[in-house]
Structures are given as C-alpha cells and as structure tokens.
Amino acid sequence: MDEFAALTERNRQLSKAMMQSVFELACDLSGLGPFPEQAAKARGTAPVNARLMQIQQLIEQLRADLQGLRGPYLMQQLQGLGVDQHSRALQLHIGSGPYVLDGWINLDVFPAQLSTNVLWGLPFVDGQCRYVFLSHLLEHLFYPTDAMALLQDIHRILEPGGVVRIVVPDIAQCIAAYQDGDTGFFRDRVEHWGAGDGQATRLEHFLAYAGAGPDPAWLFEAHKFGYDQETLIRALQRAGFKTILPSTYMASTHSALRVDEHSQIASAKHGDRHYSLFIEAIKE
Ligand SMILES: C[S@@+](CC[C@H](N)C(=O)[O-])C[C@H]1O[C@@H](n2cnc3c(N)ncnc32)[C@H](O)[C@@H]1O
C-alpha cells in the first residue's frame, strides 16, 4: 500500500470513529443536562459550550477546505472521461459499485470511474444525460431530504425524453414475508447479502432492510429507508416526473437500460421472484 492509500484508509477509519464519538457525546450531553456547565463553573474551567464550539469550528474549517477541492477534483476526472459542458446524450450509472457498464459514466464514491458523492450534486449541466441507471443506491440516502435532492437532480440532468431506471429493494415483499412467516425469504436473503450472523430474527432482518437505527459508524454504508412502489412513484412525481412506469427485471423498453443483469443484487431472487422493485421515469 502506498503512502496515500494508507492515509486514505486511516482517514476512513478515523471518520468512522468520529461519527461514533459524536453520537456518544450527544448521548452524554442529553443525559447530563445542565450538570456539566454547572460543574465547569464551580471548577473554574472552560464552559462545555465553548469547547463544543471549538470542535465544531475545527470540523467546519476542514469541511470548507475539502469543499474547495471538489471542483478541481471533478473537473480533472471529467476531462479524463472526455466530458465537458457541451457533451450530450450521456449515460450515467449512479452508485455503480464494482459494476462498470461499457459506454456509461460509472459514478460512485472513491474508487470509481467518476469518484464523487451524489450529495454534492451531480456534476453535469441541465439536459446532458439520455439515460440514468441506479441499482440499490437510493435506499442508502436519507429520505426525503437527500433522496429527493438526488431525484430532482436526476430530473434536471436528463434531456427531454430521457429516462431514469431505478432498482431498489422491495420493502413490501419484506413486510409480506414477515407477516406470512416466510423464513425462506430471509434465509435466501442472507445467502445473497451475507447479512448479519445468520441467526437474525425476521424483525431484525426487516429493520436492517428498511434502514432502522443504523450504527453511527456504519451510517454511510447502511440502508436509511425502504421503498415500496407507491412511495417510489410519489417521490418521482415530487421530483418532477410525470410519466412513471413500473418495470420488471431486464424488461426495459429501452435496450440501453436492459442492464439489471450486471448487478448481482438486482438479479437476486427468492423462488421465482426478484427481491427488487424496478421502476422507470421519463422526463417530459
Ligand atoms: C449496495 S451498493 C450497490 C452497488 C451496485 N449498484 C449494485 O447494484 O450492486 C450501493 C452503492 O452506492 C454507493 N453509494 C452510497 N451512497 C453514495 C453516495 N452518497 N454517493 C455516491 N455513491 C454512494 C456505495 O458506495 C455503493 O457502491
């Protein structure tokens, strides 16, 4: 591992440790109420409030420095991909993970063909994309805040007639499996996802699937929401889409969007049914 790879991994571990620390700090403060400030005054030490503000300022300064790097970092990558503001009819694969689609811009957090974070906004001008594909990405964003911001951004970068294909875990199937006591559904899920220790109850499975209570240190990786068809359609409508078409595995009417098979989890099935929900929306 070279020097920068080692530092990058260390930074990742440190940010995880800090997320855990901040959560525990908030727990301490909520439990102790006014006592820490009273104790600080009695001891003649700095108020907790001032110490917290110092920490907050340090974090915000570092964030401001990092924000200043986004532009040049993205510009350099887009130049390497031969994309500029005049490019049109792009095909954008968001949250590509290990699956690189030929002829697509495959976007994910580092490392990726286009390394970025979708929460920064998509680095394209209005109407630059013909197709957008995302498989098992949306449930990793907070809903409605971050998920709606991404859907609106996708609507913005699509050309008129452009299509987004979205694949997410189908939470309605998970609820039905819980209600029906379908242990096979959850057993097969462990096989596909390797979730938990294999001993989890149906409820533990469901809550992890639906994004309830992720561990602070794993907040980035964990599910934060679960979608059924009704909720995903409504979210797309709120993002500005008027034509929304439920789909099924590999059944897009647009040949360019018949790409589900490249994702192992989009392809995963319980019996003869896919775990995922498939939806397309067209920009007017
Ligand atoms: C469950 S994986 C799905 C990968 C692949 N699309 C598939 O179908 O197997 C979720 C992917 O979304 C990416 N992701 C999650 N949050 C993201 C964000 N805010 N910005 C960019 N990528 C993100 C993760 O890094 C990961 O590669």
Side-chain angles (χ1 to χ4, degrees):
M1 206 188 268
D2 74 15
E3 178 194 354
F4 293 113
L7 276 171
T8 304
E9 178 52 24
R10 183 79 193 115
N11 289 345
R12 204 179 70 85
Q13 297 296 343
L14 268 172
S15 65
K16 277 189 181 301
M18 283 169 67
M19 283 202 275
Q20 189 68 41
S21 299
V22 168
F23 177 72
E24 284 166 17
L25 178 64
C27 290
D28 289 341
L29 290 171
S30 70
L32 286 162
F35 194 67
E37 295 296 10
Q38 290 161 348
K41 187 162 188 188
R43 289 180 191 149
T45 55
V48 173
N49 188 266
R51 293 171 68 189
L52 281 175
M53 273 166 51
Q54 269 177 355
I55 297 170
Q56 170 76 350
Q57 271 167 13
L58 280 176
I59 292 176
E60 288 308 318
Q61 271 163 19
L62 177 57
R63 286 209 63 217
D65 288 349
L66 297 182
Q67 272 171 26
L69 297 177
R70 288 180 192 173
Y73 179 61
L74 289 169
M75 182 65 73
Q76 183 189 338
Q77 295 184 74
L78 289 167
Q79 272 170 0
L81 292 166
V83 174
D84 65 22
Q85 57 179 348
H86 304 295
S87 306
R88 289 290 174 274
L90 299 174
Q91 304 191 146
L92 179 63
H93 180 196
I94 304 180
S96 51
Y99 306 108
V100 173
L101 300 180
D102 278 348
W104 291 71
I105 296 170
N106 297 281
L107 177 160
D108 206 298
V109 293
F110 180 88
Q113 199 180 43
L114 177 56
S115 297
T116 181
N117 192 309
V118 294
L119 303 183
W120 302 349
L122 297 170
F124 301 97
V125 300
D126 298 0
Q128 260 194 307
C129 294
R130 177 159 298 161
Y131 296 117
V132 174
F133 175 62
L134 43 150
S135 162
H136 288 255
L137 173 278
L138 204 60
E139 69 277 11
H140 291 268
L141 306 184
F142 286 112
Y143 177 88
T145 46
D146 295 336
M148 285 308 304
L150 177 64
L151 293 177
Q152 282 160 3
D153 217 17
I154 290 172
H155 187 267
R156 177 186 67 76
I157 62 166
L158 278 173
E159 64 185 28
V163 187
V164 58
R165 181 172 180 83
I166 301 183
V167 185
V168 286
D170 184 357
I171 207 72
Q173 280 190 57
C174 196
I175 293 169
Y178 176 83
Q179 276 186 331
D180 300 346
D182 181 355
T183 47
F185 178 94
F186 298 101
R187 195 186 48 240
D188 288 0
R189 197 178 98 79
V190 174
E191 246 173 60
H192 291 299
W193 274 270
D197 59 3
Q199 308 295 320
T201 65
R202 287 175 298 135
L203 182 67
E204 285 169 323
H205 270 293
F206 168 70
L207 292 177
Y209 214 43
D215 190 320
W218 288 96
L219 199 54
F220 182 75
E221 290 86 354
H223 285 191
K224 302 183 186 70
F225 196 65
Y227 293 86
D228 61 4
Q229 186 166 289
E230 181 190 13
T231 310
L232 187 51
I233 288 176
R234 165 121 173 86
L236 284 162
Q237 284 168 340
R238 284 163 65 205
F241 290 95
K242 295 191 177 64
T243 311
I244 299 162
L245 308 163
S247 182
T248 53
Y249 181 68
M250 290 298 288
S252 177
T253 48
H254 306 265
S255 58
L257 281 168
R258 272 178 234 137
V259 285
D260 307 332
E261 64 187 356
H262 294 282
S263 159
Q264 208 180 329
I265 43 180
S267 305
K269 292 202 303 192
H270 167 53
D272 58 3
R273 196 161 173 201
H274 289 92
Y275 279 97
S276 298
L277 187 63
F278 303 84
I279 283 199
E280 289 185 355
I282 306 173
K283 178 165 172 175
E284 305 281 301

